[in-house]
Amino acid sequence: AMNSVIPNAHMRDENANMPPPSLVSATFTSDASSVVAEFGSETDRAGLSVTFPCSDLLEFPGASNAVCVWNDNSKLIIEPGGTDSLINVDDRITVKSGLVKSECTATSCADWEASVEHYIVVAAPAYAVQPSMSLSVPLDVGACDSLTIDVSNSAGNAGRVWTTSTITVSSASESNLSPMQALLDSAAFDDFIIIPREYLKEATLYSFVATRCNFLGRCAVEQASVYVDDSKFRPKVAISGAKRITIMP
């Protein structure tokens, strides 16, 4: 009997026109220093060099100041630059139309189709920078003293301004806290807040809760209390700095 050869249906014609690649993900690195954008297949890098201005291929907030680096043929590292406009979580990264094609695996790829304009939404990393909140106040102050609230040792804003910063005050024996709370709200992003003496009532314990969140959606909370006693003649001593520090090995 004559043997016949059945072509392998799974064999790909080397000269076949490969469909254009598309972005499938864009995620901040855990330290928030860059965004990793990945195509679903190998690309021709749009004919660009390894390092190039992101605006040559992509559109997103701050693209004109950002630098892009091809990590390989499908992975692109976006390094934000400048301070006026920076890419953020939930922003869109748009691939410009007609620029990027699949990696050429044929003798000629001149007629291969390029990607049309499309976008992907930037995601936060699974393990993002975790802030640490520092709220420093004296244990007590005298009847003639103002109160300084120090949050300057807070860390973990991931290189950006804090997205959220709040300080709330409460007291079991003082009901009229609106003036003090208004002051705290107006200065919530400051590292030092001075509460004038006229806002404080003698023989009263005040509790403060400070919260700060970075742009990756991670938050930290710290609580501290201060007692205003009725002594009008007493010295005031303070040691600046956080209540605790972490030393890396």
Side-chain angles (χ1 to χ4, degrees):
M2 183 180 296
N3 291 329
S4 60
V5 178
I6 302 175
N8 188 337
H10 298 288
M11 291 181 63
R12 181 174 65 81
D13 181 357
E14 290 185 355
N15 293 310
N17 191 329
M18 293 295 292
S22 297
L23 275 181
V24 294
S25 67
T27 309
F28 269 98
T29 54
S30 59
D31 65 357
S33 63
S34 59
V35 175
V36 179
E38 294 197 52
F39 288 87
S41 58
E42 302 287 298
T43 76
D44 67 348
R45 301 192 179 191
L48 298 167
S49 59
V50 173
T51 301
F52 62 93
C54 290
S55 56
D56 287 354
L57 177 61
L58 308 173
E59 294 178 350
F60 56 83
S64 59
N65 294 318
V67 173
C68 282
V69 181
W70 288 106
N71 186 69
D72 55 37
N73 286 349
S74 62
K75 186 181 295 183
L76 194 58
I77 309 301
I78 299 171
E79 300 175 350
T83 56
D84 293 338
S85 178
L86 293 171
I87 190 169
N88 212 328
V89 174
D90 294 330
D91 281 344
R92 291 183 178 185
I93 295 178
T94 300
V95 178
K96 294 181 178 180
S97 180
L99 296 179
V100 63
K101 299 179 180 181
S102 288
E103 179 186 20
C104 184
T105 56
T107 305
S108 175
C109 307
D111 61 344
W112 282 21
E113 186 180 353
S115 292
V116 297
E117 181 178 295
H118 64 283
Y119 71 86
I120 197 77
V121 175
V122 181
Y127 301 99
V129 175
Q130 179 62 44
S132 60
M133 188 71 222
S134 173
L135 173 59
S136 178
V137 296
L139 291 176
D140 55 38
V141 294
C144 297
D145 295 331
S146 59
L147 169 64
T148 299
I149 297 175
D150 178 1
V151 293
S152 62
N153 286 287
S154 301
N157 60 357
R160 310 275 184 96
V161 297
W162 294 104
T163 302
T164 302
S165 183
T166 62
I167 300 178
T168 58
V169 59
S170 61
S171 175
S173 58
E174 174 58 63
S175 58
N176 185 24
L177 295 173
S178 297
M180 189 187 301
Q181 187 61 62
L183 174 62
L184 293 171
D185 292 343
S186 67
F189 286 86
D190 295 346
D191 284 340
F192 297 93
I193 303 174
I194 297 177
I195 307 296
R197 175 64 196 93
E198 56 266 26
Y199 286 70
L200 304 172
K201 182 180 179 180
E202 295 178 19
T204 302
L205 180 68
Y206 295 92
S207 294
F208 299 91
V209 177
T211 304
R212 282 186 166 179
C213 302
N214 61 32
F215 80 100
L216 298 175
R218 298 297 193 270
C219 301
V221 181
E222 181 83 347
Q223 186 274 337
S225 297
V226 58
Y227 180 72
V228 181
D229 63 30
D230 55 6
S231 174
K232 293 180 172 60
F233 303 99
R234 49 169 288 179
K236 182 168 62 175
V237 178
I239 299 176
S240 299
K243 294 178 181 178
R244 51 186 178 273
I245 61 173
T246 300
I247 300 176
M248 301 302 293

